[in-house]
Amino acid sequence: MPQNEVVASLVVVASAILMISFWRQILFMLLFAAIVVFCFGLYNVASAVHG
């Protein structure tokens, strides 16, 4: 395998690993935001019922 193909394949593998970890962080942040919004809505409903 020529050297430029080795470098290109390493770049592709590294970018794939970075994208996978980046999507994991995005999914975690979306899940956290959904939980926060759900709890905030639940708090508003509870305060409206008790208020």
Side-chain angles (χ1 to χ4, degrees):
M1 197 183 262
Q3 188 175 1
N4 56 355
E5 287 186 15
V6 172
V7 171
S9 58
L10 283 177
V11 167
V12 167
V13 168
S15 60
I17 292 173
L18 283 176
M19 285 301 292
I20 289 172
S21 59
F22 188 63
W23 278 110
R24 278 185 177 177
Q25 287 181 352
I26 287 179
L27 287 176
F28 180 74
M29 283 189 281
L30 284 176
L31 180 66
F32 184 72
I35 291 173
V36 167
V37 167
F38 176 73
C39 290
F40 187 69
L42 202 64
Y43 173 75
N44 281 339
V45 168
S47 64
V49 166
H50 289 290

